[in-house]
Amino acid sequence: MQTYPHSPLAGQMMDQPLAISSILQFAARHYGATEIVSRPVEPGLQDTLHRYTWRDCERRARRMARALAGRGVAMGERVGTLAWNGYRHLELYYAVSGSGAVLHTINPRLHPEQIAYIVNHAQDRILCFDITFLALVEAIAPHCPEVRAFVLMTDRAHMPDGAAIPNLLCYEDLLDGATGEDAWPVFDENAAAALCYTSGTTGNPKGVLYSHRSTVLHAYASALPNVLNVGALDTVLPVVPMFHVNAWGLPYSAPLTGARLVLPGAALDGKSLYDLFEAEGVTFSAGVPTVWRGLVDYVVERGLRFSTFRRTVIGGAACPPALMDTLIDTLGVQVIHGWGMTEMSPLGTTGGLLARHRTLPAAEQRALLRKQGHAIFGVDMKIVDDVGAELPWDGRTAGHLLVRGPWIAARYFRDEGGDILQDGWFPTGDVATIDADGFMQVTDRSKDVIKSGGEWIGSIDLENIAMAHPAVLQAACIGVSHPKWDERPLLLVQRRPGMALGREELLRFFEGKVARFWMPDDVVFVEALPTGATGKIQKNRLREQFKAHRLPAA
Ligand code: AMP
């Protein structure tokens, strides 16, 4: 760890650690009556809504912290979760980290073998799970010998008979049995608090270990007006799962700002979400583009409108311009394009305009909003060429994007991958431009860039154009080898159900929108595009599948 010069006058201000539990204590004290609404996942309860307040949540989380300590969970030990967005998961966010242990949220959409690998790599001592994942936990339990107890996140009435899981406990029983000191423990702000594994398209997933300090700073910064702008007048519904980089910090920024929280459980289809948005008066939400597409299609196809929903952050993958246009122009929802990654807690930049952009023509404003946007205070960024030389912020030159800041990983958990920084900067693996105003635009992942005759072709641009065609549901562009140009773009397209579209018509749609040498060489229509555990298209699988594809002669 880097050390800095020490001032002889240091220590005149209170040295109060930035603790995750302090966020919940603050919410209980100042926004105590504000509601948290959750859709349960237990059979028979899925049509009901559970309601309680930040005050109730704090009391139960504090009790659960004691229960965990009572079960021998020591400082720094990991407690895993396999759970949807719900109130018990929220309690564990605070109970585990607040007790000094480490909350390890696991993505249940991963392959069971990968989940067992992650549980063992993280050395989870307790694994808490929703009833949805009972069969999954039964399958992995024999392969996770270091887990001392499995906790089913439900009450006694919903505990199954004869589950094939050793040391199976009931969450509510555990809570009821808590004894001991009734106050949040206080410890150093650099203590480990939460662990997330990267989705990693190659090799084993790697863990990123957040501290109390990094989490609290990220929560502060992410709530700011130019970032997510959440506050006490908002009802926030995180569609992004609490197992995907801590739902982008919303379980922390909502109580920090006194927002009302709505947790959708497992029902993430268009109808369920729309009904919940309307019934609960949701004003703000967050999610990846694939989920938004489902919700937006449901709303638009039925001629519905949102009555309270005003703002959403879309990130995790590039937001297709067509999706942004529908949300803004048809549905009246402000779209904040967010960029970040697991290694960045996750937020790095958010899109938006500057005051002087207000007078720009609408099309130019929209072009700015499409960019991944401005760095958040705390995140420093630069672009470099292949040998590490810094590139200009001219909005045209694309380079490898490097970042640094107090909520950015310095290493992976258990030092996987060794030293990952380049002169103190974290290489994001993204390729981007930055303009003179500091607006960053991701043009590609380094490994997805199509290298044609020594030039780089950005696959995201080509996908965005294809997805603006009314008959295209989803598109992915990959490079396939070419005898003369090394690689040329191949476009893979999933048509909207019931719509006709041919290769020639789609290629004509590109004319005038890109330079000639950027034109895809071929289009293949597919039934579906493969998506990974966080809903992103898996281009590595497509590259493998189409590596022998023969492009038509030019
Ligand atoms: P993960 O750690 O799984 O959240 O993945 C992080 C990666 O997702 C980033 O490095 C980007 O490649 C991609 N990503 C996230 N947000 C965006 C965005 N708004 N536009 C383009 N790519 C994005």
Side-chain angles (χ1 to χ4, degrees):
M1 200 172 278
Q2 197 162 348
T3 50
Y4 299 96
H6 192 76
S7 157
L9 291 177
Q12 306 281 301
M13 299 301 283
M14 289 187 194
D15 186 11
Q16 199 159 345
L18 299 174
I20 286 177
S21 59
S22 69
I23 297 178
L24 192 56
Q25 287 180 78
F26 174 78
R29 204 172 165 81
H30 298 279
Y31 305 108
T34 298
E35 228 183 1
I36 300 159
V37 182
S38 312
R39 199 196 287 281
V41 295
E42 290 96 330
L45 295 183
Q46 287 150 347
D47 292 332
T48 66
L49 289 174
H50 175 275
R51 291 173 195 278
Y52 73 170
T53 63
W54 284 117
R55 192 176 298 122
D56 301 324
C57 178
E58 191 273 340
R59 192 176 31 79
R60 280 170 54 94
R62 185 159 29 96
R63 199 174 172 92
M64 185 46 105
R66 271 186 288 143
L68 292 169
R71 279 264 145 194
V73 178
M75 183 120 186
E77 281 195 318
R78 273 74 68 198
V79 174
T81 62
L82 275 166
W84 299 106
N85 294 6
Y87 69 99
R88 291 191 182 98
H89 204 180
L90 182 67
E91 288 164 8
L92 287 170
Y93 262 57
Y94 288 90
V96 176
S97 304
S99 74
V102 174
L103 175 84
H104 172 208
T105 51
I106 306 168
N107 188 336
R109 296 186 183 129
L110 292 169
H111 190 273
E113 263 176 37
Q114 238 177 352
I115 294 179
Y117 168 87
I118 290 177
V119 169
N120 291 329
H121 189 272
Q123 296 168 306
D124 291 335
R125 297 295 182 232
I126 292 194
L127 186 60
C128 305
F129 65 100
D130 271 339
I131 200 148
T132 328
F133 307 117
L134 184 63
L136 171 65
V137 174
E138 282 180 327
I140 63 165
H143 307 287
C144 302
E146 289 187 74
V147 177
R148 293 195 295 254
F150 294 86
V151 178
L152 184 48
M153 293 160 64
T154 190
D155 56 13
R156 179 112 307 268
H158 291 89
M159 286 299 282
D161 292 328
I165 300 173
N167 301 325
L168 181 63
L169 306 175
C170 165
Y171 184 96
E172 293 297 330
D173 285 356
L174 187 60
L175 198 65
D176 287 344
T179 52
E181 182 72 29
D182 187 26
W184 290 103
V186 179
F187 37 81
D188 180 66
E189 64 180 21
N190 286 303
L195 178 64
C196 284
Y197 278 71
T198 58
S199 28
T201 45
T202 51
N204 279 322
K206 293 195 250 334
V208 180
L209 188 58
Y210 312 113
S211 65
H212 282 259
R213 175 186 153 82
S214 71
T215 307
V216 172
L217 289 176
H218 179 268
Y220 263 123
S222 65
L224 285 172
N226 293 338
V227 189
L228 304 186
N229 193 14
V230 279
L233 295 177
D234 279 310
T235 291
V236 175
L237 187 152
V239 180
V240 52
M242 287 163 73
F243 54 75
H244 185 196
V245 217
N246 298 332
W248 304 348
L250 287 169
Y252 306 113
S253 50
L256 185 143
T257 58
R260 183 168 170 264
L261 200 55
V262 179
L263 301 170
L268 301 178
D269 60 287
K271 176 174 172 21
S272 306
L273 283 176
Y274 177 75
D275 290 349
L276 198 55
F277 271 63
E278 288 300 296
E280 294 304 322
V282 171
T283 60
F284 177 85
S285 187
V288 295
T290 36
V291 177
W292 283 117
R293 190 159 281 280
L295 176 57
V296 165
D297 283 356
Y298 176 85
V299 172
V300 171
E301 278 161 20
R302 284 161 188 77
L304 302 168
R305 289 297 175 264
F306 291 110
S307 20
T308 53
F309 181 34
R310 292 288 167 266
R311 242 164 43 254
T312 186
V313 58
I314 300 188
C319 175
L323 177 64
M324 182 180 277
D325 293 348
T326 310
L327 274 161
I328 299 176
D329 301 329
T330 312
L331 301 176
V333 176
Q334 182 197 343
V335 177
I336 304 161
H337 197 185
W339 168 86
M341 56 200 309
T342 309
E343 291 86 340
M344 301 177 69
S345 302
L347 283 176
T349 66
T350 45
L353 301 180
L354 306 181
R356 66 184 157 76
H357 294 146
R358 285 215 195 98
T359 51
L360 286 179
E364 284 176 44
Q365 289 189 354
R366 191 61 55 85
L368 284 170
L369 289 178
R370 282 179 189 155
K371 296 191 176 197
Q372 278 74 5
H374 240 265
I376 302 166
F377 171 72
V379 175
D380 205 3
M381 59 185 184
K382 65 175 179 178
I383 42 174
V384 300
D385 65 13
D386 283 338
V387 293
E390 197 163 349
L391 293 169
W393 291 22
D394 60 10
R396 289 189 315 275
T397 313
H400 304 287
L401 181 63
L402 271 54
V403 290
R404 63 180 179 191
W407 55 81
I408 295 171
R411 60 185 61 81
Y412 288 111
F413 185 52
R414 297 176 63 187
D415 259 336
E416 285 296 322
D419 187 7
I420 54 171
L421 300 189
Q422 282 176 22
D423 294 331
W425 291 77
F426 177 79
T428 63
D430 286 332
V431 175
T433 60
I434 305 177
D435 70 17
D437 284 321
F439 283 74
M440 186 275 285
Q441 183 157 32
V442 176
T443 56
D444 235 320
R445 282 297 285 167
S446 317
K447 53 185 187 303
D448 294 338
V449 156
I450 301 163
K451 293 188 177 130
S452 171
E455 302 269 1
W456 288 4
I457 297 180
S459 61
I460 294 180
D461 267 349
L462 297 179
E463 289 156 7
N464 284 343
I465 293 172
M467 279 191 276
H469 191 287
V472 173
L473 184 63
Q474 287 208 93
C477 196
I478 55 168
V480 290
S481 55
H482 187 281
K484 181 165 173 203
W485 302 110
D486 292 338
E487 276 184 348
R488 290 294 303 155
L490 166 67
L491 192 63
L492 305 160
V493 173
Q494 181 184 357
R495 280 180 285 233
R496 283 187 178 276
M499 296 197 71
L501 174 67
R503 175 184 182 280
E504 301 309 321
E505 185 189 340
L506 185 54
L507 287 178
R508 267 200 306 280
F509 188 67
F510 276 80
E511 277 168 22
K513 298 191 174 87
V514 284
R516 274 227 67 82
F517 86 98
W518 275 50
M519 284 289 278
D521 276 26
D522 204 1
V523 180
V524 173
F525 293 97
V526 293
E527 286 293 309
L529 291 166
T531 49
T534 51
K536 302 184 196 188
I537 294 173
Q538 293 175 307
K539 291 208 193 166
N540 55 331
R541 283 184 57 192
L542 291 172
R543 273 194 292 271
E544 187 54 33
Q545 195 183 338
F546 289 93
K547 70 174 179 226
H549 182 81
R550 288 177 71 88
L551 295 169

